[in-house]
Amino acid sequence: MGDKTEIDTLASTNGTDEYRFGYTQEEIERLRYQHHVWTKENQRFISRAGFSKGSTLVDLGCGPGYTTLDLSQIVGAGGKVIAVDRDGERSLPLLKVQAEAAGLFNIETRAANLETFDLQEGSVDGVYGRWVLMYLPETRVKSLIGRMVKWLRPGAACALTELCNFGHIHIYPKSKYLPEIAEALSKAVTGEIGCNPEIGNDLPGLLHSAGLDVEINVIVKAVRATTQEWLWPDALFRNHLPALVKEGYLAHGVFDNFLAEWEARSKDPDAIFFSSPMMEVVARRS
Ligand SMILES: C[S@@+](CC[C@H](N)C(=O)[O-])C[C@H]1O[C@@H](n2cnc3c(N)ncnc32)[C@H](O)[C@@H]1O
């Protein structure tokens, strides 16, 4: 693996280097499991971008790098993946350990804030990003896309996937309390810095305005209670809702009622959790 880790010293706009849900061991594990549950969808999405052997790719907001490792195998020893995340303390070192253990030496990690991160014009064959633009202040997303489009060589594509229409998150049988939970999660992600948890809705237009040819697809992941996959939404709710109560985004009573309802659904083999719709955008430079 390259040792080109660079620390971007520019301060982040919220005065911390934390992303909304932090970098605890619990969150790193949650992201790992989330990646596992979404494996098939993610592979289908990446294949639509047509990334190939020998390419130079960028993984925007790679976190602990679960997809970076997949991209690294796609481009092979003759290619390179530039894995960018603001968390140079926990996520990127974890990526390096995993890459070394897997014998992958084509990953270059960069600790940087995407609000200002930049690369040379025409220097990459593809860009991948998932669940990251939703954590940037909305006003900074357009400028990142403007920079990103310049990095792409002619014919190169970016594959970006983000939540859209978050209010459509659903539980069957219908949950009485889920709409308030969804609203609290949405407000917490928006935070004081004005992130857009539904930035997936804006991406096709932003990429088209930046001059790319855009193809979209929207998917929803549905998981059944009493299966292993149910642990994915279960971890999201159990790990993160208590903090939302403490921070005042969610009323205590609503949380208690939701949790009791969720526990009942979790034991019902006919219950289904439907994710927020995910906007998948593949946009290509002609
Ligand atoms: C939900 S995790 C997603 C990680 C990975 N993309 C995945 O699909 O598993 C969001 C990641 O975005 C990173 N992130 C958020 N805002 C960022 C910013 N302004 N600059 C760089 N990274 C950022 C966080 O540090 C975190 O690792």
Side-chain angles (χ1 to χ4, degrees):
M1 180 163 21
D3 58 355
K4 283 201 167 184
T5 303
E6 292 173 6
I7 305 295
D8 186 324
T9 50
L10 287 161
S12 65
T13 50
N14 61 357
T16 83
D17 271 342
E18 297 284 315
Y19 106 98
R20 181 66 189 82
F21 296 117
Y23 302 105
T24 59
Q25 190 53 37
E26 194 179 53
E27 177 61 5
I28 281 173
E29 269 307 301
R30 191 188 73 79
L31 292 176
R32 188 190 62 75
Y33 194 62
Q34 178 168 252
H35 176 74
H36 170 69
V37 168
W38 284 82
T39 298
K40 275 193 209 136
E41 290 81 359
N42 198 34
Q43 284 176 351
R44 266 201 297 267
F45 176 50
I46 290 171
S47 70
R48 281 179 39 220
F51 298 146
S52 56
K53 286 248 174 290
S55 295
T56 296
L57 303 180
V58 183
D59 186 353
L60 292 177
C62 60
Y66 305 121
T67 300
T68 315
L69 298 170
D70 298 339
L71 296 172
S72 154
Q73 303 215 30
I74 291 173
V75 301
K80 178 168 84 171
V81 184
I82 302 169
V84 191
D85 201 283
R86 72 182 353 178
D87 180 29
E89 295 286 314
R90 290 141 292 192
S91 302
L92 295 180
L94 185 59
L95 167 55
K96 287 186 186 185
V97 169
Q98 296 175 94
E100 271 162 19
L104 300 168
F105 301 104
N106 59 355
I107 298 171
E108 189 179 302
T109 57
R110 303 275 189 103
N113 189 333
L114 291 172
E115 292 179 33
T116 50
F117 177 76
D118 210 355
L119 287 169
Q120 239 186 338
E121 261 185 69
S123 61
V124 310
D125 303 296
V127 177
Y128 169 89
R130 175 177 68 171
W131 300 317
V132 58
L133 302 182
M134 62 183 281
Y135 298 109
L136 257 64
E138 190 174 4
T139 51
R140 307 297 179 101
V141 173
K142 192 173 174 184
S143 83
L144 170 60
I145 286 180
R147 273 174 277 133
M148 186 197 75
V149 167
K150 289 190 190 146
W151 310 337
L152 298 174
R153 296 190 175 116
C158 69
L160 303 178
T161 178
E162 297 286 338
L163 308 186
C164 58
N165 308 328
F166 186 70
H168 291 198
I169 186 173
H170 187 70
I171 297 169
Y172 172 82
K174 192 170 174 159
S175 160
K176 192 167 166 195
Y177 306 101
L178 189 66
E180 283 168 271
I181 300 293
E183 197 184 331
L185 278 166
S186 190
K187 281 191 178 148
V189 169
T190 302
E192 286 171 13
I193 59 171
C195 303
N196 181 353
E198 300 185 322
I199 194 70
N201 289 325
D202 296 15
L203 283 183
L206 287 170
L207 291 160
H208 181 249
S209 303
L212 301 186
D213 297 328
V214 174
E215 271 180 37
I216 68 170
N217 185 46
V218 174
I219 58 167
V220 169
K221 176 95 192 165
V223 297
R224 292 175 49 234
T226 74
T227 66
Q228 281 288 309
E229 289 192 324
W230 188 260
L231 296 176
W232 159 60
D234 190 72
L236 173 72
F237 294 138
R238 287 185 197 279
N239 297 2
H240 295 313
L241 294 185
L244 267 51
V245 174
K246 269 197 205 140
E247 292 170 43
Y249 289 108
L250 182 62
H252 216 295
V254 175
F255 172 61
D256 287 345
N257 288 336
F258 175 73
L259 207 58
E261 187 192 62
W262 179 254
E263 271 165 13
R265 294 287 187 282
S266 300
K267 291 182 194 130
D268 172 1
D270 296 334
I272 305 170
F273 171 80
F274 299 82
S275 74
S276 161
M278 288 268 292
M279 173 67 71
E280 297 180 331
V281 192
V282 174
R284 201 170 294 279
R285 191 170 163 188
S286 47

